[in-house]
Amino acid sequence: MEKERSTNNFFKRYGIILLLVIVTCTLPFVVTVLTSCWSSPIPEFETSNDWIGFFGSYMGAILGAIITLIVMYKSIKAGEENLKENIYENQRIQNQNKAIEFCDKVTDLIGEYCSDISVYYYECIKVEYYNIDIKCLNREYDNGSITHEQYEQRLSILDAKKPNADRRKSTAIYFKLDILLKDEEKAKLLLDILSKLHNTYDYVNYKLSSNESKFESDIEELLQETRIFIKEYKKEYEFKN
């Protein structure tokens, strides 16, 4: 079956050339037979030179037409190949641009998330110190160490500097990243790290540790995995057919 297909492809490609070779090789014999074995069926062609001239002009016109058709065919095929290459190249560039745009969006969101969650984390630590100061103030007031006026004055100062631990922006970015990367197989580990970090540093459900080095390490882990994901994602589209 494979041999038959190969033979068919050969004749499709070189059939016209083979036909021209056969016609060119057999034409002298045909002319010889016609001019030597039979009398001319055309009154004007009385000698072999007349026949040779006739066949020369006739075959020349046919060969010229065939060659013209071959050249046109080759030109059309070349044009089609160039068009396919241009379409492929344009599609490849579009895919690369989309990949770059996607990676830039992920990078921006991760950067915003890390920035906001860091602010939130350190504000939560300040809240812990604020709560300690309030307890100390209340204890002093209850013990009679300070007057009511002094209590109100110091409470007012503390409230003016009360930290604002708000991670609504971080949460919004977290959900955006989850939607954006949910169907990306390469982003599975990135989402796992992001989810772990987001759930760990939640002051409402957990009392945050003041171990800053651990927090910085978790942020760096998220950033490092983001770099790996971006590199792999761009690499996939750089060589994609």
Side-chain angles (χ1 to χ4, degrees), residues 109-150:
L109 288 173
I110 290 291
E112 288 182 36
Y113 178 84
C114 290
S115 175
D116 196 73
I117 201 70
S118 295
V119 171
Y120 171 76
Y121 173 77
Y122 289 109
E123 286 296 302
C124 287
I125 294 177
K126 291 178 182 179
V127 168
E128 289 294 314
Y129 288 115
Y130 169 81
N131 291 335
I132 293 174
D133 289 339
I134 291 294
K135 287 180 180 179
C136 291
L137 180 62
N138 289 333
R139 189 180 301 114
E140 289 181 37
Y141 181 72
D142 292 339
N143 292 338
S145 301
I146 57 175
T147 64
H148 181 74
E149 183 179 348
Q150 290 174 324

Side-chain angles (χ1 to χ4, degrees), residues 5-16:
R5 186 181 302 171
S6 178
T7 304
N8 291 335
N9 290 335
F10 176 81
F11 280 111
K12 284 181 180 179
R13 286 187 177 183
Y14 305 107
I16 296 177

Side-chain angles (χ1 to χ4, degrees), residues 33-34 44 47 51 56 98 132 146 156 185 201 207 234:
V33 171
L34 290 174
E44 290 79 2
T47 64
W51 275 108
K98 288 179 180 179
I132 293 174
I146 57 175
S156 176
E185 185 64 28
Y201 298 99
K207 184 176 181 180
K234 286 184 176 179

Side-chain angles (χ1 to χ4, degrees), residues 49-103:
N49 289 335
D50 294 331
W51 275 108
I52 292 172
F54 167 74
F55 274 105
S57 300
Y58 183 73
M59 293 307 299
I62 292 175
L63 289 174
I66 292 174
I67 292 172
T68 301
L69 289 174
I70 292 175
V71 172
M72 288 178 62
Y73 174 77
K74 293 292 185 182
S75 298
I76 292 172
K77 289 294 290 182
E80 289 178 351
E81 290 298 323
N82 289 334
L83 180 60
K84 288 180 181 179
E85 290 179 4
N86 290 335
I87 292 174
Y88 164 77
E89 184 64 19
N90 290 335
Q91 187 62 45
R92 186 180 68 84
I93 293 173
Q94 287 180 6
N95 288 338
Q96 285 185 351
N97 290 338
K98 288 179 180 179
I100 292 172
E101 183 180 348
F102 178 81
C103 290

